[in-house]
Amino acid sequence: MSILFHESMMNLKLNKSKSNSKGFDLNATLIESLETTLLPPYFNQCRWFAGKARSQDKFLVKVTFEVPCVVGVPTDHGEGTHDAATSYLLIVEVSYHDGEPESYLLPLSFVSEQDIPAKGIISEAVLDEQEGLLVDGIYDVQFRSALFRLLSTNERLAQPTGDLSFLRGKGLDIEDVGQELPNRVLPVDSSNSAMIFGDKYFMKLYRKLFRETNPEVDMVAFITEYSTFQHIPAFAGSLTWKRSGAPDVTLGMMQRAIRNQNDAWRTTGDYLNDFLYGVPNRIFAINEDVFEQVVLLGKRTAEMHLALYAPHTNDGAFAPERFNDEYRQFLVGRFSNLLERRYNLLVDNYLQLDAPTQKLAWVFMEAKEMIDEFTQEILHRPLDSLRIRIHGDYHLGQVLATDSDYIVIDFEGEPESSITERKIKHSPLKDVAGMVRSYHYAVAAKLFNSAETESMDAEKLQIVSDRWFKLIRDTYLDAYFDTFGYPHDLFKSNNEINFLLLLYLLEKAVYELGYEISYRPSWVKIPLKGIVDVVREIEKVLREK
């Protein structure tokens, strides 16, 4: 793919660095070539660039950081070594004809060897009469090793635009400080770039940058540094741009590497296969191992929240808070907006739904006013429970299954929310609701989309699905609350628990509805059933008043 734009840059000539005889100079001429000729086609071939579908205006190199590298480092894939002693980290601003600009992180290196994947090549180039390649620095073994060395030794590099701060975490073994570990780029294309060091550490460079610290790094660092919770990939370090008079910007994070068999979504699917085979023969059977795994996950979820509950911390970002008026208004405003958009989307697509799904949709649409009244109740209802930082996007796919336990991953938060919103404190029941909804999805997707059950009556299938789900849900919730003990400051009463859990379950199911209508119409019944279940519970509460 890179050959498409090599031809016009065959004679790109790099000047030697003024500060280091073995590096290249990132001068005004090279920056102009990058902005006008090289970066637009390169970015548009990269998986991590989110602006491909937008009409692009300009690519501007807004910030440059010089990164000193080392010579003679080992690699897992025989890339060899070279003599370049300087690489760069660029922050590139991409502006568009419409909408806000975006900022991206791009490491930049010159290498003389040719064993670089095409997706890493920016241009062919010549430095001091030596032919080579201008590449994305993650494919440069020296640059990767420099990142590890700088991070492991807590370096702070002064730059004209602020400091590059490398911070070592508790997850990095002391014997690895300053060492040169074999390293490689992970071949998986995603929205960020990942590297492995010595098969012990996983480093992620964040490509799309935000104007403040990344919530994932904040969360993983806090749990590792200030709690005994062992069931996350431990924080081994971070790379941050420290700016005077402005918020820090997270550029990368390193954690302990985890060897896992599967995520909990697939593991649950495997358990459901055994259950599925008995359903057509009117056999309802759940292996006791399934309950044991659900209990374990409930326990680990509670332990994660206990690690995030820090009543004595001086860090305002993690200190528990009450349900104040500002948060109540935020919650109602966000949900009201979400409910209105999903309701209108459902009305527009109602005739495309099958009869059973239309029946569920009708219950939801008729209950909209009651749902509005229920959510408005949070504005004035007395609540003594507390709010903390939470995972924010918690479901079975975010939990890795090891040989005998679980590891929680991906603390970046809800993808559709802003970075500021992802740092808002909620009741941990919001995470619990996410996992409960995930279990509901697991059984419904399996039973309603399998050849073994396609001839079964839909109503009967729904009954069987509900029975499995309710058993698993109650097992998970019991294990979760048993781990906390009762009472606890996070959950002041059963009435508050029931109210908040219904609120977050409703919000989650309504959120899910939009995706299914737009991309998987045959699955619309799953979030609708979740909504209807909550509606029935709200009706019970109202009857008891």
Side-chain angles (χ1 to χ4, degrees):
M1 185 177 291
S2 56
I3 292 174
L4 294 176
F5 54 91
H6 278 177
E7 293 178 1
S8 62
M9 298 304 300
M10 287 293 291
N11 296 318
L12 179 65
K13 188 172 181 179
L14 305 179
N15 294 330
K16 294 185 70 172
S17 172
K18 298 172 184 176
S19 60
N20 192 304
S21 62
K22 293 182 178 179
F24 68 97
D25 185 26
L26 192 62
N27 55 33
T29 301
L30 177 55
I31 288 176
E32 183 180 3
S33 295
L34 288 166
E35 292 175 337
T36 60
T37 306
L38 298 174
L39 296 187
Y42 182 71
F43 270 50
N44 280 283
Q45 76 169 19
C46 293
R47 167 68 176 81
W48 44 258
F49 179 51
K52 298 182 188 68
R54 299 176 66 183
S55 182
Q56 299 150 21
D57 188 8
K58 291 181 180 178
F59 286 71
L60 294 177
V61 176
K62 299 288 286 187
V63 180
T64 64
F65 303 107
E66 188 171 316
V67 180
C69 295
V70 293
V71 178
V73 292
T75 170
D76 283 354
H77 294 288
E79 293 170 2
T81 61
H82 57 75
D83 295 329
T86 302
S87 291
Y88 297 90
L89 281 172
L90 311 183
I91 295 180
V92 180
E93 182 183 87
V94 184
S95 58
Y96 304 92
H97 293 330
D98 297 301
E100 292 296 313
E102 297 173 327
S103 293
Y104 289 87
L105 182 66
L106 178 68
L108 196 66
S109 291
F110 171 81
V111 298
S112 55
E113 71 265 26
Q114 302 296 310
D115 190 16
I116 301 291
K119 63 183 178 181
I121 300 172
I122 296 173
S123 176
E124 293 178 343
V126 176
L127 174 62
D128 196 24
E129 300 184 355
Q130 182 179 32
E131 293 184 357
L133 301 169
L134 194 64
V135 302
D136 185 324
I138 66 164
Y139 299 101
D140 171 12
V141 62
Q142 281 194 203
F143 174 75
R144 296 196 301 266
S145 291
L147 287 183
F148 183 87
R149 175 178 52 81
L150 293 165
L151 186 150
S152 72
T153 53
N154 280 323
E155 297 294 334
R156 189 164 180 138
L157 304 179
Q159 307 279 334
T161 52
D163 292 352
L164 274 183
S165 175
F166 295 84
L167 176 67
R168 181 176 70 243
K170 284 172 63 177
L172 194 142
D173 293 335
I174 194 68
E175 62 265 24
D176 293 327
V177 171
Q179 297 301 305
E180 305 288 359
L181 300 183
N183 56 72
R184 67 184 189 276
V185 179
L186 288 181
V188 179
D189 286 330
S190 69
S191 56
N192 299 303
S193 294
M195 296 158 277
I196 290 288
F197 294 86
D199 288 331
K200 293 176 66 176
Y201 307 104
F202 169 89
M203 182 183 287
K204 180 191 296 185
L205 283 187
Y206 296 103
R207 293 298 193 154
K208 185 177 178 180
L209 302 179
F210 301 96
R211 294 185 180 92
E212 52 187 302
T213 56
N214 189 296
E216 180 178 38
V217 179
D218 296 342
M219 295 280 284
V220 173
F222 186 85
I223 291 172
T224 302
E225 302 294 320
Y226 301 108
S227 81
T228 59
F229 186 62
Q230 301 291 314
H231 300 279
I232 62 170
F235 176 72
S238 63
L239 169 57
T240 306
W241 176 22
K242 299 282 187 180
R243 301 181 292 172
S244 177
D248 297 342
V249 176
T250 306
L251 305 180
M253 177 176 67
M254 189 163 71
Q255 297 172 268
R256 294 298 292 236
I258 300 295
R259 292 185 177 88
N260 68 290
Q261 275 77 44
N262 240 328
D263 61 40
W265 171 264
R266 294 183 181 178
T267 302
T268 303
D270 292 341
Y271 289 140
L272 275 163
N273 285 336
D274 296 334
F275 174 70
L276 174 68
Y277 297 143
V279 171
N281 298 313
R282 301 177 62 81
I283 297 173
F284 188 95
I286 306 177
N287 193 302
E288 185 63 26
D289 290 346
V290 177
F291 290 110
E292 291 177 359
Q293 291 300 313
V294 174
V295 167
L296 182 60
L297 185 54
K299 181 180 180 182
R300 294 293 179 251
T301 304
E303 290 171 347
M304 174 182 72
H305 289 147
L306 285 168
L308 290 165
Y309 174 62
H312 305 299
T313 184
N314 293 321
D315 185 348
F318 285 90
E321 296 181 14
R322 298 180 63 83
F323 277 75
N324 56 24
D325 289 341
E326 182 182 8
Y327 177 74
R328 293 170 189 249
Q329 291 285 354
F330 163 77
L331 203 60
V332 170
R334 186 176 70 166
F335 182 78
S336 297
N337 180 269
L338 179 68
L339 180 64
E340 194 66 30
R341 288 186 285 117
R342 296 300 193 258
Y343 176 85
N344 291 334
L345 188 62
L346 185 62
V347 170
D348 291 343
N349 290 272
Y350 180 80
L351 295 178
Q352 279 70 54
L353 305 176
D354 59 35
T357 307
Q358 284 184 346
K359 186 177 179 180
L360 293 170
W362 190 254
V363 174
F364 167 46
M365 291 188 290
E366 282 197 319
K368 182 176 180 294
E369 185 176 338
M370 182 180 68
I371 292 171
D372 273 324
E373 292 176 0
F374 175 74
T375 55
Q376 291 287 326
E377 189 177 338
I378 198 173
L379 292 175
H380 53 80
R381 183 184 181 114
L383 291 170
D384 293 321
S385 299
L386 296 177
R387 299 181 292 120
I388 59 172
R389 290 287 291 273
I390 63 170
H391 185 284
D393 188 29
Y394 197 55
H395 54 78
L396 290 167
Q398 306 286 40
V399 182
L400 301 182
T402 63
D403 288 333
S404 58
D405 219 314
Y406 290 112
I407 299 291
V408 183
I409 61 170
D410 194 359
F411 284 81
E412 287 196 68
E414 201 171 68
E416 288 189 15
S417 298
S418 69
I419 293 298
T420 300
E421 287 178 342
R422 296 182 204 186
K423 296 183 180 184
I424 291 175
K425 295 162 188 170
H426 300 275
S427 166
L429 292 173
K430 182 176 171 68
D431 278 348
V432 172
M435 189 57 70
V436 168
R437 290 295 310 136
S438 194
Y439 274 123
H440 181 241
Y441 255 81
V443 67
K446 182 67 72 171
L447 291 190
F448 285 98
N449 295 284
S450 296
E452 290 85 354
T453 56
E454 62 184 1
S455 61
M456 289 186 63
D457 177 70
E459 236 177 271
K460 177 63 178 175
L461 207 55
Q462 187 64 66
I463 292 171
V464 175
S465 174
D466 286 348
R467 284 175 181 162
W468 185 95
F469 167 63
K470 289 173 182 177
L471 281 170
I472 298 300
R473 176 199 63 192
D474 292 349
T475 301
Y476 175 76
L477 292 175
D478 287 347
Y480 178 81
F481 289 113
D482 284 349
T483 305
F484 272 95
Y486 188 81
H488 192 277
D489 285 344
L490 286 173
F491 312 108
K492 286 293 189 178
S493 72
N494 283 331
N495 283 337
E496 289 191 15
I497 288 172
N498 292 335
F499 172 74
L500 291 172
L501 189 55
L502 285 177
L503 189 70
Y504 289 123
L505 283 169
L506 187 59
E507 180 189 43
K508 184 65 175 174
V510 171
Y511 175 85
E512 295 161 353
L513 185 61
Y515 182 88
E516 304 305 349
I517 291 174
S518 300
Y519 300 104
R520 291 188 298 202
S522 64
W523 286 33
V524 170
K525 64 172 72 69
I526 300 176
L528 277 176
K529 183 61 169 60
I531 294 170
V532 170
D533 285 347
V534 175
V535 166
R536 298 306 184 212
E537 291 298 319
I538 294 172
E539 289 172 340
K540 288 180 187 177
V541 172
L542 293 176
R543 283 197 297 269
E544 293 169 0
K545 284 187 175 182

